[in-house]
Amino acid sequence: MNRRHCATAAITLVCALALLTSTGQAMAAPAPEPSPSSSAGSPTRYSNADLEEVREQIDTLYRKAGAATDAYNLAEEQTKKQSGEIVKLAKAIVDGQARIAALKDRAGAQAREQYRNGGLPPGAQLALSNDPKLFLDGLNKVRQSQHASKSLLTDLNQTQEDLETYTQDASTNWEKLETNRVKQAKAKKKINARIKAAEKLESQLEERERDRLRQLERDAADKAQTAWLSSGAIKDVSGEASEGGAAAVAFATAQIGKPYVWGAEGPGSYDCSGLTSQAWLAAKRPIPRTSQEQWRLLPRIDIQDMRPGDLIIYHADASHVGMYVGDGTIVHSPRPGRNVTLAGAGSMKILGVVRPDK
């Protein structure tokens, strides 16, 4: 009886991992204590129920790492954008300063010309002329001079205003850049902590137990896929890929076997949205970098209208994405420790479908 109580307490201990995923702490909760040895043959350290608990906790940690990866990727994309804006604004400031210097030189030239004419303004010189022809010529020159002076002053004022705006914009973009760098650092910390916690849980298992764990993963995916297909979700799905969709599918499937690395966009490794965004870039249709932005910004379609090349977004937080390739299948980059592969489109909880080339 005591041994049975110990086993029950051990399984309860695993549930404490839920605390980790809700607080985001970097420590991994201990794996369940071994169950009693089986009566036949070699001892079994963990029952399938124990391993299922471990599988669910590992899956949760990796999904939360995926959400943090999306936050990291978005911050990185925004950082690149802000850096580009700052470079453009810096060039505009330099150009503006050069233009102000040139305008001031022109103003100085006008002042020197007036000085050479005895310091008299053009109107006074005109009034002193007794020659009617010279008077008319002078009148025209006065008008031209007045227009040039007014234009020069307008240009100078406008350029100075533009320069002030460029400077303010550069300051604003610099603040955004620093904010996004802080977001990146926080997201990176979360990613590494959750991956480390998941890896620690898995490392506590023996090789044969890891094999059983992978089998449980496959069983869970197969069960979800079977239920999805049985629901008739894709009974009438028969759309053919567009030219762009076919190109995107060809690129994505060519990456099968390459490892998942968070934040990676190829060519040697990918995270989930790195794969889909690069595939559509190869099809000459740039799309948002992250799965959450893909869900937010791309046109949404009904599953019944799905065709190869469309993107299926997973989980309530849109933290995962795969590309539909037909026959109820996706190509995706699953998680750390796994490679780009084919999987059942219904093997994870579907949030919705988006079409990059709608």
Side-chain angles (χ1 to χ4, degrees):
M1 269 309 264
N2 286 337
R3 295 177 68 188
R4 219 177 267 162
H5 285 312
C6 287
T8 303
I11 293 171
T12 303
L13 184 59
V14 178
C15 296
L17 275 169
L19 228 60
L20 170 64
T21 58
S22 64
T23 60
Q25 293 178 0
M27 301 189 318
E33 290 296 326
S35 297
S37 299
S38 62
S39 56
S42 59
T44 300
R45 295 205 327 151
Y46 297 100
S47 68
N48 278 356
D50 293 339
L51 284 175
E52 181 60 23
E53 290 276 4
V54 173
R55 184 195 69 77
E56 289 178 359
Q57 293 303 326
I58 288 175
D59 184 62
T60 298
L61 284 166
Y62 278 130
R63 281 203 292 108
K64 288 185 177 292
T69 296
D70 243 24
Y72 176 90
N73 289 337
L74 181 59
E76 182 181 46
E77 192 173 35
Q78 290 172 336
T79 295
K80 288 178 182 176
K81 181 181 178 182
Q82 249 76 62
S83 296
E85 288 295 322
I86 289 171
V87 170
K88 288 179 185 177
L89 288 166
K91 185 178 183 304
I93 289 170
V94 171
D95 291 345
Q97 289 171 333
R99 179 164 174 74
I100 286 176
L103 290 170
K104 286 182 176 178
D105 284 345
R106 281 176 55 193
Q110 287 184 357
R112 289 190 295 273
E113 178 65 23
Q114 182 176 326
Y115 178 78
R116 282 195 293 271
N117 290 327
L120 293 174
Q125 295 174 31
L126 180 62
L128 294 174
S129 174
N130 294 320
D131 187 326
K133 185 175 183 302
L134 289 177
F135 180 85
L136 292 175
D137 288 343
L139 183 62
N140 187 46
K141 289 179 180 179
V142 166
R143 286 172 179 167
Q144 290 177 349
S145 176
Q146 288 175 338
H147 179 75
S149 297
K150 184 178 180 181
S151 177
L152 177 63
L153 186 60
T154 300
D155 282 354
L156 187 58
N157 288 336
Q158 184 61 55
T159 303
Q160 286 176 329
E161 288 178 10
D162 289 345
L163 196 58
E164 289 176 6
T165 300
Y166 295 150
T167 303
Q168 290 172 357
D169 287 349
S171 176
T172 299
N173 276 280
W174 182 260
E175 289 174 3
K176 290 179 180 178
L177 179 67
E178 290 304 304
T179 298
N180 285 322
R181 282 176 175 163
V182 170
K183 287 180 182 177
Q184 272 185 277
K186 287 181 178 178
K188 183 176 182 179
K189 187 175 180 180
K190 286 182 180 179
I191 294 165
N192 288 332
R194 283 160 179 166
I195 290 176
K196 184 178 179 181
E199 288 174 342
K200 183 176 181 180
L201 272 177
E202 197 163 352
S203 71
Q204 292 171 351
L205 303 175
E206 293 181 353
E207 183 57 37
R208 60 181 176 173
E209 290 162 344
R210 285 196 287 271
D211 289 340
R212 286 170 56 211
L213 185 67
R214 283 189 284 270
Q215 185 59 52
L216 286 173
E217 288 179 359
R218 290 190 290 269
D219 290 346
D222 290 346
K223 182 179 179 182
Q225 175 73 355
T226 299
W228 184 65
L229 292 175
S230 299
S231 72
I234 60 170
K235 181 178 64 174
D236 299 321
V237 174
S238 59
E240 294 185 2
S242 64
E243 183 179 350
V249 167
F251 179 94
T253 52
Q255 313 312 310
I256 289 174
K258 294 182 179 180
Y260 177 104
V261 174
W262 67 266
E265 299 177 84
S269 57
Y270 297 88
D271 61 22
C272 66
S273 57
L275 177 65
T276 55
S277 60
Q278 288 301 304
W280 272 101
L281 184 61
K284 297 181 172 53
R285 180 63 69 101
I287 64 173
R289 169 63 177 90
T290 71
S291 59
Q292 291 174 345
E293 289 296 281
Q294 289 168 6
W295 174 243
R296 187 173 73 87
L297 298 174
L298 295 178
R300 300 178 186 181
I301 61 167
D302 190 82
I303 287 179
Q304 296 296 325
D305 299 323
M306 192 164 56
R307 68 189 186 195
D310 290 341
L311 305 182
I312 302 182
I313 310 297
Y314 293 96
H315 309 309
D317 58 359
S319 58
H320 191 69
V321 60
M323 180 178 292
Y324 187 64
V325 297
D327 297 324
T329 303
I330 60 167
V331 58
H332 72 143
S333 187
R335 65 166 177 81
R338 300 290 185 265
N339 299 330
V340 176
T341 188
L342 295 174
S347 59
M348 297 167 283
K349 187 170 179 57
I350 295 175
L351 179 61
V353 182
V354 295
R355 175 166 294 164
D357 60 345
K358 185 174 180 181

